[in-house]
Amino acid sequence: MSRDSVIEARSLNLTFATNDGPVHALSDVNLTINKGDFVSFIGPSGCGKTTFLRALAALEKPTSGTIRVNGLTPDEARQKRAYGYVFQHAGLYPWRTIAGNIKLPLEIMGFSKSEQLRRTDEVLRLVELEDFSKKYPWQLSGGMQQRASIARALAFDAELLLMDEPFGALDEIVRDHLNEQLLELWQRTDKTICFVTHSIPEAVYLSTKIVVMSPRPGRISDVIESPLLAERPLEIRDSPEFIEIAQRVREGLRAGHGSE
Amino acid sequence: MRRSFFPIIFVIAGLLAIWYAAVVPMNIKMALTAAERNGFVVTPVGAKERRDRSAMLLVVQNTFAIKETFALERPRLPAPHQVAAELWDSTINKKITSKRSLVFHGWITLSSTLLGFAIGTGLGILLAIGIVYNRAMDMSVMPWAIASQTIPILAIAPMIIVVFNSVGLQGIFPKAIISAYLSFFPVVVGMVKGLRSPDQMHLDLLKTYNASSTAGFWKLRLPSSMPYLFASLKIGIAASLVGAIVGELPTGAVRGLGARLLSGSYYGQTIQIWSALLGAALLAATLVALISLVQRLTLNRMGML
Ligand SMILES: Nc1ncnc2c1ncn2[C@@H]1O[C@H](COP(=O)(O)OP(=O)(O)OP(=O)(O)O)[C@@H](O)[C@H]1O
Ligand SMILES: [Mg+2]
């Protein structure tokens, strides 16, 4: 195990028992994620992306194999509040204002009142929602809600961010904008990010490492290290390197399907 | 407000019309007997003759007496204006400390309603928390709660009153227990549903924060349960009022709306019965409206309205 590896998964298997028999959500998954990596998980629906993220977060228990998060078991890491989790749907509490939602983890983790305010202001500025702090979730657009839920995950400054299709339901323009912001945030803070997506350009644009997965049973079919520089203007998506990586991802996805 | 005004007026007018229409056949025989005694010519002659006649036929044959059916002293069915006059008389014209004041009796019933409602709500919430957080209670409490509600309250009320009397407790408390007995159930059912209403994602979120179950209760389960709680409270307060009135019946109480109903039926004072009934209905409507108001204010503050 290398010194700066944040996540180590070894021969990971996870099977759900269902009424129609067992579902192999993850089969023999091996993966190392280093500190400061931006890792995208891409693959067809049902290939186990969410399950893998949930297993990292100790929301799902592996059937066999090991996971280490910062050298700890996922449950120990959870108890140390080692990660922030962004769910596929914003999942804001409807009876709390945007600021109130962002304060939720801070209250639970026992930050002082003044620290709560300071951090709430800081992350609200980060996701450009400072003018909406007193609004309720239903008064915001879907994209704004998703930004608020990212701010909530950032508020307690965990080193590791687990994001499950955070921009899945958004239109292309908003998505581009949020991608830029996320990238900028990542560059500034040196966080490790695990990011689930269905979009090839999004995966290539954001990641230092792209994990291509295939279904039935869910497994990793390819891991692509991106040669792109950390500095990435949106125009990079028209460059030959970018197109080449996207091509490789597409082939990985197709191969995964073909083996069915 | 304006939009709901006309439909409400329309419905009330309709109900009043049906009520007035029912008064005539219901009271016609009494009215004819009284008219005959006062020297009017009635067809057919003699109360005995009329006993088995259809009321409708009698109305048609004696249209002159229709007016009388609305003005009898102890009618079978009092007319709305008679009840209204009695209500007015016994609320506005009597000192509220007088035994003939409906406000006085209303207050007696209201106080045990509110006490019983408070006890029932508290008990209901505690039981619901127990059911949600404790597996043993989850398996055991609900069947008993349901069983408790299948016992007719009229059967159990006298026993409660007698038991409490024998240990020296009288007046408001035994009645409040009956109110509590009726009102805890909707609160348990609503609160269990409410405390279990958060979706899995909201629960998972707290888990990723390693939140304690106390934090889970105060920050997620309790706030999510509020809409359910208020729906239950509205049912609960009405049930409490019924409980308090029923609690006044078996002891032959002399105070309270139940006592008014009882004494009214002893002495054939139908107008008094109806005005006590209407008074109880108005009280129930007011209480439910108050809870609606608190609900609006609370949910509004929570940004959920
Ligand atoms: N709680 C569960 N119980 C039973 N089966 C489950 C459960 N959660 C997931 N699965 C199954 O495990 C497999 C992987 O699901 P998962 O949610 O990880 O897929 P995914 O890659 O995130 O898909 P999507 O892109 O649609 O979100 C699927 O076949 C799914 O039906
Ligand atoms: Mg998923």
Side-chain angles (χ1 to χ4, degrees):
Chain A
M1 175 169 163
S2 75
R3 197 165 43 83
D4 58 357
S5 83
V6 174
I7 289 167
E8 294 254 357
R10 290 287 162 263
S11 352
L12 192 66
N13 286 284
L14 202 153
T15 310
F16 290 108
T18 68
N19 291 339
D20 325 323
V23 175
H24 296 276
L26 294 173
S27 157
D28 193 32
V29 169
N30 290 285
L31 188 67
T32 303
I33 295 172
N34 292 322
K35 184 159 174 46
D37 269 348
F38 194 124
V39 184
S40 285
F41 294 82
I42 191 164
S45 190
C47 69
K49 307 179 292 293
T50 298
T51 307
F52 184 63
L53 236 57
R54 287 177 61 86
L56 295 182
L59 295 174
E60 225 62 85
K61 214 172 118 57
T63 317
S64 69
T66 56
I67 306 177
R68 288 274 171 264
V69 179
N70 294 327
L72 306 170
T73 66
D75 211 50
E76 288 164 346
R78 180 180 71 82
Q79 281 161 28
K80 287 222 156 95
R81 289 150 179 172
Y83 60 85
Y85 199 110
V86 180
F87 290 86
Q88 184 161 357
H89 304 282
L92 300 169
Y93 286 10
W95 56 87
R96 282 176 172 251
T97 59
I98 296 307
N101 267 287
I102 292 169
K103 270 193 204 131
L104 176 72
L106 304 175
E107 289 170 8
I108 289 171
M109 297 177 189
F111 287 84
S112 72
K113 278 263 158 27
S114 57
E115 187 64 11
Q116 287 180 21
L117 280 177
R118 192 186 68 73
R119 284 174 178 249
T120 306
D121 284 349
E122 189 186 310
V123 292
L124 276 173
R125 217 167 321 123
L126 214 59
V127 297
E128 297 175 4
L129 284 178
E130 57 270 59
D131 295 338
F132 297 88
S133 65
K134 292 202 172 64
K135 293 264 189 286
Y136 284 95
W138 55 268
Q139 294 170 307
L140 270 61
S141 73
M144 290 159 115
Q145 290 183 25
Q146 203 50 266
R147 261 145 66 194
S149 91
I150 292 171
R152 181 177 60 182
L154 292 172
F156 52 101
D157 213 18
E159 291 288 292
L160 174 63
L161 275 182
L162 305 174
M163 307 175 87
D164 191 357
E165 293 189 53
F167 309 140
L170 306 181
D171 70 70
E172 200 102 15
I173 313 258
V174 178
R175 201 171 172 142
D176 280 352
H177 181 60
L178 292 181
N179 280 342
E180 264 184 306
Q181 281 186 319
L182 182 61
L183 205 54
E184 197 189 306
L185 177 94
W186 168 72
Q187 283 159 0
R188 202 153 11 105
T189 55
D190 198 34
K191 289 186 190 304
T192 310
I193 299 183
C194 294
F195 185 93
V196 173
T197 179
H198 272 126
S199 152
I200 297 175
E202 188 172 71
V204 179
Y205 176 68
L206 291 171
S207 320
T208 57
K209 191 191 280 236
I210 301 162
V211 177
V212 183
M213 298 181 71
S214 55
R216 285 173 291 270
R219 65 194 182 282
I220 295 178
S221 53
D222 196 6
V223 178
I224 302 162
E225 303 281 346
S226 169
L228 298 178
L229 298 171
E231 197 65 44
R232 299 177 185 183
L234 277 172
E235 300 78 61
I236 201 173
R237 293 182 295 187
D238 299 322
S239 74
E241 296 99 315
F242 189 99
I243 292 166
E244 196 180 310
I245 305 167
Q247 193 55 40
R248 196 173 149 195
V249 174
R250 194 166 292 121
E251 274 159 21
L253 287 173
R254 207 172 296 143
H257 256 289
S259 73
E260 221 174 280
Chain B
M1 201 63 207
R2 179 76 65 78
R3 250 186 317 152
S4 59
F5 187 70
F6 284 105
I8 290 175
I9 288 293
F10 187 75
V11 169
I12 290 179
L15 288 175
L16 284 178
I18 293 171
W19 187 346
Y20 270 112
V23 165
V24 180
M26 287 289 282
N27 294 343
I28 189 72
K29 285 176 193 170
M30 283 174 126
L32 291 179
T33 312
E36 201 165 39
R37 207 166 32 237
N38 291 339
F40 287 92
V41 182
V42 172
T43 21
V45 178
K48 217 167 152 194
E49 279 296 306
R50 291 191 296 269
R51 200 171 55 207
D52 298 324
R53 290 282 174 101
S54 116
M56 285 302 173
L57 190 65
L58 289 174
V59 173
V60 175
Q61 287 173 329
N62 303 281
T63 40
F64 77 92
I66 290 178
K67 209 168 81 246
E68 307 300 317
T69 61
F70 297 118
L72 295 169
E73 201 181 319
R74 291 178 185 184
R76 252 200 208 165
L77 177 63
H81 67 265
Q82 289 178 295
V83 177
E86 164 73 12
L87 261 179
W88 179 265
D89 186 53
S90 58
T91 50
I92 310 297
N93 289 349
K94 297 281 185 307
K95 271 209 343 229
I96 59 166
T97 49
S98 151
K99 287 236 158 123
R100 303 183 58 186
S101 162
L102 205 60
V103 179
F104 168 79
H105 292 285
W107 167 248
I108 299 291
T109 304
L110 177 65
S111 55
S112 63
T113 300
L114 292 180
L115 179 62
F117 177 65
I119 298 172
T121 303
L123 182 71
I125 292 176
L126 287 180
L127 282 176
I129 293 171
I131 287 172
V132 171
Y133 279 94
N134 182 303
R135 226 188 115 62
M137 280 184 80
D138 185 17
M139 309 292 281
S140 58
V141 172
M142 211 40 126
W144 287 103
I146 293 168
S148 78
Q149 301 303 301
T150 61
I151 303 169
I153 189 64
L154 272 173
I156 204 167
M159 298 197 296
I160 293 176
I161 301 281
V162 168
V163 167
F164 277 95
N165 266 346
S166 70
V167 296
L169 276 171
Q170 284 178 330
I172 184 172
F173 196 72
K175 287 194 284 169
I177 292 300
I178 297 171
S179 291
Y181 182 91
L182 288 183
S183 63
F184 88 95
F185 186 67
V187 176
V188 173
V189 174
M191 268 314 258
V192 167
K193 189 144 172 51
L195 292 172
R196 288 193 172 140
S197 66
D199 49 82
Q200 194 57 42
M201 199 207 316
H202 285 162
L203 291 165
D204 282 346
L205 184 72
L206 287 186
K207 206 171 165 200
T208 69
Y209 302 150
N210 194 29
S212 66
S213 55
T214 326
F217 176 77
W218 290 109
K219 296 194 187 298
L220 177 58
R221 290 193 188 271
L222 191 64
S224 329
S225 72
M226 281 303 129
Y228 297 85
L229 175 64
F230 280 109
S232 298
L233 290 185
K234 285 185 208 166
I235 305 170
I237 192 89
S240 280
L241 184 64
V242 171
I245 291 174
V246 169
E248 287 161 352
L249 297 178
T251 47
V254 287
R255 308 190 309 170
L257 291 175
R260 284 291 273 190
L261 289 176
L262 209 59
S263 70
S265 70
Y266 280 156
Y267 302 113
Q269 297 283 2
T270 42
I271 300 182
Q272 180 185 323
I273 297 178
W274 278 82
S275 71
L277 274 179
L278 221 62
L282 287 175
L283 190 58
T286 313
L287 291 172
V288 172
L290 274 176
I291 290 180
S292 294
L293 184 71
V294 177
Q295 175 182 29
R296 282 184 84 90
L297 293 176
T298 311
L299 295 189
N300 202 6
R301 259 200 67 194
M302 289 171 73
M304 291 169 85
L305 221 79

